[in-house]
Amino acid sequence: MGLQEVWFILIAVLFTGYFILEGFDFGVGMHFPVLGRGKTESADTRRRVLLNTIGPVWDGNEVWLITAGGALFAAFPEWYATLFSGFYLPLLLILLALIVRVCAIEWRGKIDDPVWRRRCDWGIIFGSWVPAVLWGVAFANIVRGVAIDADKQYVGGFFALLNPYALLGGATTALVFALHGAVFIALKTSGDIRTDAVKLSRRLSIPTVLVAGAFVVWTQLAYGKTWTLILVAVAAAALLAVVALAAAEREGWAFVFTTVAIAATIALLFSVLFPNVMPSTLDPAWSLTIENASSSAYTLKIMTWAAVAVTPVVLLYQGWTYWVFRQRISTSHIPPSIGLKIGTK
């Protein structure tokens, strides 16, 4: 195995880590309108609980995307250039949504005003739903192939990206992240919020299995290889296990299997893509591959040594963070708001 293959796998691993970790972050924000509604507690208190489930880790989870983008740029610059120029509008929408989400999370508690907090809540909801859908659309188009010419330029339009397969991919990531987030909330909370999250995960499990199952089967039939049937089977079995575990209120194991389902699906997409990185629908000879899109061997070698030195430290630190903040929380743990009133110093 050469360094080009190694870095293709590493980029796949980085995106898998991002979708697993940021996936439940998105899911938490997506459920603000449902699980954030007050019953015996105020809506604001419930939403603060939801935010606190991801509060210590969400910004660290986003580092996986930054690392994946940096690795893509350094290891496969032609892939990076064609992808970011051709998918400029959807990736810009993802970036804007992520910026809105970051600002809403960070600033929500800075001003003690219900109108301000509602606006921040809508920023969190918008910043969670948009990337959850568009990431699926983007990766489905990468697998399907797009109109790339002899100069390695994308020559299709924005609406060419909104084909049935890509839209099904967007629906799949949205539903899987929503289910992943609901299970995570059930795992991290207690009391009424946990009860509501368990019920929501049960309701989401069936449509997620149907939509995600259709997507992975379509992927296998249209672009798959014989051995990738194993990944299809793993993803399908994991999602079916989530249905049973959600019904049995075993959120810990349900979270394990939503993680397995996401990992198997991303592995399937990268496996059917290899050795291409962006297939061309105009002429297979114009497709970007791990060979014609990669950096020099010397660059890949330096990057490999850097990754070997730094990656274990990052993984240990992030694992320690999750261990420290492993306890469940509830509305009883939320102190009164101490934000500033509008117009005060």
Side-chain angles (χ1 to χ4, degrees):
M1 182 183 295
L3 289 179
Q4 293 165 335
E5 289 83 359
V6 168
W7 276 96
F8 181 85
I9 294 172
L10 287 176
I11 289 170
V13 170
L14 288 170
F15 274 110
T16 301
Y18 172 70
F19 287 132
I20 289 171
L21 298 176
E22 191 77 334
F24 64 73
D25 288 347
F26 290 148
V28 170
M30 293 161 76
H31 294 316
F32 259 46
V34 178
L35 297 180
R37 289 184 296 183
K39 292 183 178 179
T40 57
E41 318 92 347
S42 70
D44 181 65
T45 300
R46 288 174 66 97
R47 292 183 180 191
R48 288 172 67 189
V49 171
L50 296 179
L51 274 184
N52 275 282
T53 63
I54 61 172
V57 298
W58 69 268
D59 47 356
N61 294 342
E62 289 191 336
V63 172
W64 286 77
L65 176 61
I66 297 170
T67 307
L72 193 67
F73 172 76
F76 299 100
E78 294 288 352
W79 184 9
Y80 180 93
T82 303
L83 175 63
F84 278 78
S85 60
F87 289 25
Y88 181 81
L89 184 55
L91 293 178
L92 177 63
L93 290 173
I94 290 174
L95 177 61
L96 291 176
L98 292 177
I99 292 172
V100 169
R101 177 173 166 268
V102 168
C103 293
I105 292 175
E106 292 287 352
W107 297 347
R108 186 183 188 276
K110 301 301 182 183
I111 299 176
D112 189 12
D113 179 69
V115 175
W116 171 265
R117 287 195 291 268
R118 280 197 300 271
R119 290 172 179 171
C120 289
D121 291 344
W122 280 111
I124 294 169
I125 295 166
F126 170 81
S128 299
W129 272 100
V130 171
V133 173
L134 291 184
W135 277 125
V137 172
F139 269 85
N141 274 298
I142 292 173
V143 170
R144 176 180 176 271
V146 292
I148 299 174
D149 64 15
D151 296 322
K152 301 178 182 177
Q153 297 293 321
Y154 174 66
V155 293
F158 171 74
F159 291 102
L161 302 176
L162 303 180
N163 53 80
Y165 176 71
L167 293 176
L168 182 60
T172 296
T173 50
L175 281 170
V176 170
F177 291 163
L179 177 60
H180 195 43
V183 172
F184 177 78
I185 294 169
L187 179 64
K188 286 290 293 177
T189 60
S190 58
D192 288 343
I193 296 181
R194 176 189 174 272
T195 301
D196 293 342
V198 169
K199 293 178 181 177
L200 180 60
S201 63
R202 284 202 296 262
R203 291 198 295 266
L204 283 171
S205 60
I206 298 298
T208 302
V209 168
L210 296 176
V211 174
F215 178 69
V216 296
V217 169
W218 189 343
T219 301
Q220 175 63 30
L221 293 177
Y223 314 106
K225 302 158 188 175
T226 302
W227 70 270
T228 55
L229 278 169
I230 298 172
L231 296 173
V232 174
V234 170
L239 286 173
L240 290 173
V242 174
V243 175
L245 291 165
E249 299 188 13
R250 300 290 300 275
E251 61 267 21
W253 280 108
F255 184 76
V256 169
F257 280 101
T258 54
T259 299
V260 171
I262 293 171
T265 302
I266 302 303
L268 172 66
L269 296 180
F270 275 89
S271 296
V272 301
L273 186 62
F274 184 84
N276 294 319
V277 293
M278 285 192 77
S280 172
T281 56
L282 300 180
D283 188 334
W286 297 342
S287 297
L288 298 181
T289 68
I290 62 169
E291 294 184 356
N292 65 22
S294 72
S295 295
S296 67
Y298 182 74
T299 299
L300 295 178
K301 187 174 182 180
I302 296 297
M303 289 173 57
T304 302
W305 282 112
V308 169
V310 175
T311 302
V313 177
V314 175
L315 292 177
L316 285 172
Y317 174 76
Q318 191 163 26
W320 176 79
T321 303
Y322 275 91
W323 174 255
V324 169
F325 295 100
R326 66 188 183 277
Q327 299 296 330
R328 293 178 183 265
I329 63 172
S330 68
T331 54
S332 63
H333 297 114
I334 302 299
S337 175
I338 56 173
L340 292 175
K341 293 285 185 180
I342 290 180
T344 64
K345 297 183 180 180

